């Protein structure tokens, strides 16, 4: 006995065969908010969806990732003092000749944008240091 997809699209039950992909309530809510013509069939005995709807949910996840990566806040390096910018340049060993503050701001902001941060590792390290009453010099 093959299962049928548990979703209703345009007021008609999806006739495609369901895969082993189970639909969570969170994903269902995001799917419904993005595609109002889709809803869950209350008469369905399961929450398995077809490949077509699976791709829709994957598309939602990809869209969310793209939005979160492009929502990185811009840092105003021109508000920093010249000495601070020079220390940043020295600390990261940036080899750029910078005569003016605007040149230095450009070099520092370019470098800063290229930094990859694993957020979960940073948060875990931060919470560990707070919990153990440590500062950055104690961890070495």
């Amino acid at each position: 006995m093959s299962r049928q997809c548990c979703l209703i699209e345009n007021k008609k039950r999806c006739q495609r065969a369901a895969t082993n992909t189970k639909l969570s309530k969170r994903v269902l809510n995001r799917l419904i908010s993005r595609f109002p013509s889709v809803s869950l069939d209350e008469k369905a005995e399961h929450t398995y969806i077809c490949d077509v709807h699976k791709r829709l949910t994957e598309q939602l996840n990809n869209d969310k990732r793209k939005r979160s990566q492009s929502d990185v806040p811009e840092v105003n390096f021109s508000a920093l003092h010249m000495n601070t910018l020079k220390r940043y340049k020295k600390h990261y060993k940036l080899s750029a000749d910078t005569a003016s503050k605007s040149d230095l701001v450009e070099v520092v902001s370019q470098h800063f944008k290229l930094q990859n941060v694993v957020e979960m590792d940073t948060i875990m390290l931060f919470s560990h240091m707070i919990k153990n009453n440590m500062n950055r010099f104690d961890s070495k």
Side-chain angles (χ1 to χ4, degrees):
M1 182 176 120
S2 66
R3 291 183 294 222
Q4 187 178 355
C5 181
C6 68
L7 294 177
I8 296 175
E9 194 167 11
N10 296 324
K11 299 181 182 178
K12 292 183 183 175
R13 174 91 183 249
C14 178
Q15 298 297 313
R16 295 179 207 85
T19 61
N20 289 333
T21 305
K22 199 166 188 176
L23 190 64
S24 69
K25 289 182 181 180
R26 180 181 53 84
V27 173
L28 175 65
N29 289 336
R30 285 185 36 222
L31 191 65
I32 291 172
S33 68
R34 179 80 185 271
F35 303 101
S37 63
V38 176
S39 64
L40 179 67
D41 186 0
E42 300 297 327
K43 298 175 188 171
E45 299 170 356
H46 59 80
T47 56
Y48 294 100
I49 58 174
C50 64
D51 282 329
V52 172
H53 290 116
K54 179 182 175 182
R55 279 193 291 277
L56 275 179
T57 59
E58 289 169 351
Q59 179 186 350
L60 286 175
N61 289 336
N62 291 338
D63 290 350
K64 185 179 178 182
R65 283 188 198 109
K66 287 177 187 172
R67 269 196 313 273
S68 66
Q69 290 172 356
S70 64
D71 291 345
V72 175
E74 189 69 27
V75 178
N76 183 10
F77 286 102
S78 61
L80 298 175
H81 293 286
M82 188 71 165
N83 288 340
T84 307
L85 295 169
K86 285 180 180 178
R87 281 193 318 234
Y88 184 97
K89 179 185 167 195
K90 183 179 178 183
H91 178 78
Y92 287 104
K93 299 175 179 83
L94 303 178
S95 60
D97 291 332
T98 53
S100 66
K101 183 177 180 179
S102 60
D103 293 339
L104 194 54
V105 166
E106 185 64 30
V107 169
V108 168
S109 63
Q110 290 280 328
H111 179 262
F112 186 79
K113 287 178 185 175
L114 294 175
Q115 299 304 305
N116 290 326
V117 177
V118 180
E119 292 176 1
M120 192 51 78
D121 289 349
T122 305
I123 292 169
M124 294 300 291
L125 179 63
F126 177 77
S127 63
H128 171 74
M129 293 177 86
I130 294 295
K131 182 180 176 184
N132 295 314
N133 199 18
M134 299 169 65
N135 66 29
R136 68 185 179 126
F137 301 112
D138 293 338
S139 63
K140 293 181 180 178

